[in-house]
Amino acid sequence: MKNFFEQQDRAKLVTNQLIFLFGCAIALTTLIVYGALLCIEVANTNQIVSLFNLNHLMLSGIIVVVGVGVGSYQKSESLKGGGPVVAASLGGVAVDPDTKDPQKQQLLNVVQEMAIAASIPYPKVYVLPDRSINAFAAGHTHKDAVIAVTQGTLDQLNRDELQGVVGHEFSHILNGDMALNLRLIGVVHGLLLMSLAGREILYHTRFGGRKKDGAWVLGLGVGLLVAGAVGWIFGQLIKSAVSRQREFLADASAVQFTRNPEGLTSALMKIAATTGSRSLIASPKAAETSHLFFCPPIKAGFFNAMATHPPLEERIRRLSGQKITRTARSTAMSTASLAGAEGISALAPSSQAMPVVSEPQTAVRSPMNHGAPVTVGNGPGLAVPEHLIHAQALLDELPELLLKAARSQVGAVAVVYSLLLDNNSATRNQQKQLIGKSSPAVLKAVNKIESAVDGVNKRSRLPLLELCIPSLTSLKLSTITQSLKCVQALVRVSGKLSVSEFAIKTVLHYRLAPHFTSNPSPAPTLSSLSDVADECALLISAIAQIGHSKPTDALYALRDSYHQLPRKSRPPIPMELPACSLPALSKAFKRLQMAMPEVKSAIADACIHTVLTDGKTTDSEAELLRAILVALSRPLPSFLDRTFTPSTPRPQSRKAA
């Protein structure tokens, strides 16, 4: 199975193909405008003209490029805010992390599990008011992504079905589809703008144009109208063709992720079984965003080629190996209102029809266990069932008091502060005094939860922090700035910067910065490991030294991990351990923000192998590795969470939610 980064590369390839196809559509549009200009010249001169006129061709190209460019830029600028802008334009309302609505709380729990399992920032969640069953994911990157579902989805689907739908949308995030989908909206709108401009010209020619210019302007208006319409049709065809293939990929990825084909199949069958609204969305923006949705949000046109989604029957057949017969459809309609496991068994075909791809295994040598191979549960960047199991186990292990605190603004800040409280009672009292000066309300919350935070497994502390991010991002800029200053003060009181404190500060910075910094991220320019050789050595050395008490073992882990780097661009292998410090790591993270994704991935792989060379993972290694991968925007391997016991039955109260 392709990992997260390979899927991104594939999405880039699809984007390049898309650019070529849209280039063809623009070329055709230009030829139509060119033909219109020739016709205008013939009408004005009453003479036969040459079929090739460089001036007319250049003018046609300028008209089309400017028209499409202006339209695309205008639409792209309106979508600059990413997923939240798209969700709001469709009538979506953000779900309060501290909501008391059981349906919305169940949705948040499912999204939470998926985000932890996929090792990406917890996306904002929206609910659309429509009573139909539908959902979508939108955003430029996983940092501004949203997951939105309709109210009908919450009303009509049980938890397994909801998990299947959310898994499908998360697959769009992991497969790199979101940015491609927003780009499609912009370019198609640019082609449509040509037609709208032609219509406006015709309207004003009819009611206000001068007679001597009437033929020329009329011809230009007709040309733009026809050219824009043709270009828009071709744009829709290309958009639909790309979207249909990405939907099949998302279905397959969702089943691979959740290992529960019944949930997704059952949701699709409920949509197929309903009549009338089906998956339709009432918003006037539904047409231009149709390719974002789980199922078609508008009625199908006359031609299947214009459909943005494959037929429901075909999607169900691919998932289950069965066709929807009239009998099956009738059965689904009669049982669509059932909830829980009975609803799934009545609606969904056998799960054996969809094979589940096994998790890849990787081995590395280790001198500490006599050369026996160390098994890596999965390569980084894979969204596999084991991730979801560990995410569910993590959430089950955390006290409900802390989960509730993480969903509120004051509680989330209190959790962050509590994670930084020192074990020494005198130091802790000083830290509490600082918290009280910053916010008495937060201090009160800290006193309420500090004992629960102290009892959290050390491996669960950073995942708990991740659960607080949605609530923290909803704070005002002034509030979050004050809170981060307090974080710095709490660390200074505790004395020397520890690995845990460094990891907490790193996660906070790289998770919150995209939401509170107006400056766009710089475009990556460092394309080779040789460009970041010092930073690469520093990261791997830090992991090696923190995980091995003997310098010889740390050096072996460092040198062995270098062999995991791509041979073509591999920097010279160090002969001794480079000196490293936590502040130096922070500087290295800043420079690595300029590295290409494949460079970050190579360094992430090497760091992961460094941790596993001795066949065990200490808590300090796990914390530092998690901080490194968050800073590099790389998903986490599931072995970081193997302190959990996913075989333990989930509590009934949590399972219901």
Side-chain angles (χ1 to χ4, degrees):
M1 178 183 176
K2 292 181 181 295
N3 67 26
F4 181 23
F5 312 107
E6 290 169 336
Q7 292 289 9
Q8 286 185 319
D9 292 338
R10 176 176 174 175
K12 291 177 183 177
L13 177 61
V14 172
T15 302
N16 293 335
Q17 296 171 345
L18 185 67
I19 292 172
F20 172 75
L21 292 174
F22 271 111
C24 294
I26 290 174
L28 178 60
T29 305
T30 302
L31 289 177
I32 294 175
V33 175
Y34 176 69
L37 292 179
L38 290 179
C39 292
I40 292 171
E41 184 177 355
V42 171
N44 287 337
T45 62
N46 292 321
Q47 296 179 1
I48 298 176
V49 297
S50 173
L51 291 178
F52 179 76
N53 186 311
L54 182 59
N55 292 333
H56 286 351
L57 184 60
M58 292 178 62
L59 179 59
S60 302
I62 292 173
I63 291 173
V64 172
V65 170
V66 171
V68 173
V70 169
S72 299
Y73 176 79
Q74 180 187 41
K75 178 56 68 173
S76 298
E77 279 296 299
S78 69
L79 299 174
K80 194 174 182 179
V85 172
V86 177
S89 70
L90 289 162
V93 178
V95 178
D96 183 356
D98 197 26
T99 180
K100 302 299 188 295
D101 186 318
Q103 288 182 330
K104 294 178 180 178
Q105 186 56 62
Q106 177 176 263
L107 173 63
L108 291 177
N109 288 342
V110 171
V111 173
Q112 210 169 56
E113 293 170 359
M114 293 283 181
I116 294 172
S119 303
I120 63 173
Y122 182 25
K124 290 186 177 180
V125 182
Y126 284 74
V127 173
L128 307 183
D130 300 77
R131 310 305 299 182
S132 57
I133 302 175
N134 221 325
F136 70 85
H140 294 290
T141 69
H142 60 266
K143 296 177 182 179
D144 65 355
V146 303
I147 296 287
V149 305
T150 60
Q151 184 61 47
T153 301
L154 300 181
D155 293 338
Q156 301 177 57
L157 300 188
N158 58 43
R159 195 184 198 280
D160 282 352
E161 293 163 346
L162 180 63
Q163 185 187 66
V165 172
V166 172
H168 174 101
E169 298 308 325
F170 261 93
S171 298
H172 281 307
I173 298 176
L174 297 178
N175 292 335
D177 295 340
M178 293 191 308
L180 175 64
N181 286 337
L182 292 187
R183 202 171 292 121
L184 282 168
I185 294 175
V187 178
V188 171
H189 181 78
L191 291 167
L192 176 62
L193 190 64
M194 293 282 297
S195 183
L196 296 177
R199 188 177 68 177
E200 286 296 311
I201 290 175
L202 291 177
Y203 178 83
H204 289 290
T205 300
R206 178 182 178 185
F207 292 103
R210 292 180 295 174
K211 291 185 178 180
K212 65 177 183 179
D213 295 332
W216 187 88
V217 176
L218 180 65
L220 180 61
V222 171
L224 290 177
L225 181 64
V226 174
V230 171
W232 180 82
I233 290 172
F234 273 87
Q236 289 285 9
L237 290 172
I238 296 168
K239 181 182 79 170
S240 299
V242 172
S243 177
R244 287 195 297 272
Q245 293 304 313
R246 306 307 285 181
E247 289 302 315
F248 281 134
L249 175 61
D251 280 347
S253 299
V255 171
Q256 160 69 29
F257 192 11
T258 63
R259 195 170 284 175
N260 182 14
E262 292 95 337
L264 181 58
T265 306
S266 179
L268 289 170
M269 290 192 72
K270 280 189 175 180
I271 296 173
T274 57
T275 57
S277 62
R278 293 171 67 92
S279 57
L280 304 185
I281 301 297
S283 171
K285 297 285 187 180
E288 70 177 6
T289 58
S290 59
H291 59 299
L292 302 181
F293 282 86
F294 176 65
C295 284
I298 58 176
K299 292 183 178 179
F302 294 103
F303 305 103
N304 290 334
M306 299 288 283
T308 55
H309 292 69
L312 285 172
E313 291 79 2
E314 174 64 14
R315 293 172 68 180
I316 293 171
R317 185 191 65 78
R318 290 198 181 197
L319 289 171
S320 65
Q322 297 182 11
K323 294 182 179 180
I324 298 185
T325 63
R326 185 171 298 177
T327 303
R329 186 184 294 271
S330 299
T331 302
M333 291 181 67
S334 64
T335 56
S337 61
L338 294 179
E342 294 181 1
I344 293 178
S345 62
L347 289 171
S350 171
S351 63
Q352 297 179 354
M354 169 59 75
V356 177
V357 182
S358 60
E359 188 177 357
Q361 303 290 321
T362 307
V364 294
R365 293 173 290 107
S366 171
M368 279 64 82
N369 59 1
H370 307 289
V374 178
T375 300
V376 182
N378 56 274
L382 283 174
V384 294
E386 186 177 357
H387 289 82
L388 188 57
I389 293 172
H390 287 303
Q392 292 168 341
L394 183 153
L395 292 174
D396 290 341
E397 182 187 77
L398 292 173
E400 188 64 34
L401 175 66
L402 296 184
L403 293 175
K404 184 178 180 180
R407 298 183 190 119
S408 67
Q409 293 180 336
V410 172
V413 176
V415 170
V416 173
Y417 292 168
S418 298
L419 290 171
L420 293 168
L421 292 179
D422 199 88
N423 291 329
N424 181 277
S425 58
T427 303
R428 177 171 291 214
N429 288 334
Q430 291 181 357
Q431 290 175 317
K432 284 188 175 183
Q433 290 176 5
L434 287 174
I435 296 172
K437 291 179 181 179
S438 176
S439 172
V442 174
L443 177 60
K444 183 178 179 181
V446 167
N447 290 330
K448 184 178 179 181
I449 67 172
E450 65 174 311
S451 60
V453 173
D454 290 341
V456 170
N457 184 295
K458 192 171 183 180
R459 199 74 66 87
S460 305
R461 291 167 65 84
L462 288 182
L464 173 60
L465 176 63
E466 293 271 16
L467 296 180
C468 298
I469 299 301
S471 298
L472 295 176
T473 56
S474 65
L475 292 170
K476 295 180 180 179
L477 178 60
S478 58
T479 304
I480 198 66
T481 301
Q482 179 184 358
S483 300
L484 292 178
K485 287 181 179 179
C486 188
V487 166
Q488 296 281 14
L490 294 177
V491 172
R492 285 195 296 269
V493 170
S494 65
K496 184 179 178 181
L497 182 66
S498 67
V499 173
S500 293
E501 291 168 339
F502 172 79
I504 290 171
K505 289 179 61 178
T506 300
V507 172
L508 282 174
H509 174 75
Y510 286 99
R511 291 302 197 218
L512 296 179
H515 299 277
F516 294 100
T517 303
S518 57
N519 298 328
S521 300
T525 57
L526 307 177
S527 58
S528 173
L529 282 168
S530 59
D531 296 329
V532 289
D534 292 342
E535 289 75 17
C536 178
L538 183 62
L539 265 61
I540 300 175
S541 176
I543 286 285
Q545 292 185 54
I546 204 169
H548 303 91
S549 57
K550 296 181 180 179
T552 53
D553 291 344
L555 180 60
Y556 181 91
L558 170 72
R559 292 175 59 83
D560 183 71
S561 296
Y562 260 71
H563 289 286
Q564 307 299 326
L565 298 172
R567 182 174 298 179
K568 290 183 179 180
S569 59
R570 180 190 303 160
I573 300 177
M575 300 304 296
E576 58 184 19
L577 288 171
C580 61
S581 65
L582 295 178
L585 281 180
S586 294
K587 293 182 179 179
F589 292 158
K590 291 181 180 179
R591 177 164 172 77
L592 287 171
Q593 299 309 304
M594 299 291 292
M596 299 292 286
E598 56 269 22
V599 174
K600 294 181 181 179
S601 298
I603 296 175
D605 284 348
C607 289
I608 290 170
H609 280 276
T610 306
V611 169
L612 293 173
T613 49
D614 60 355
K616 61 183 180 181
T617 307
T618 66
D619 290 336
S620 294
E621 283 179 306
E623 286 185 316
L624 183 57
L625 178 59
R626 190 181 288 268
I628 289 173
L629 296 180
V630 167
L632 296 180
S633 297
R634 304 297 93 176
L636 311 177
S638 60
F639 71 79
L640 286 181
D641 299 323
R642 282 184 180 159
T643 55
F644 305 122
T645 54
S647 59
T648 304
R650 302 180 70 193
Q652 184 63 33
S653 59
R654 290 271 313 159
K655 187 174 182 180

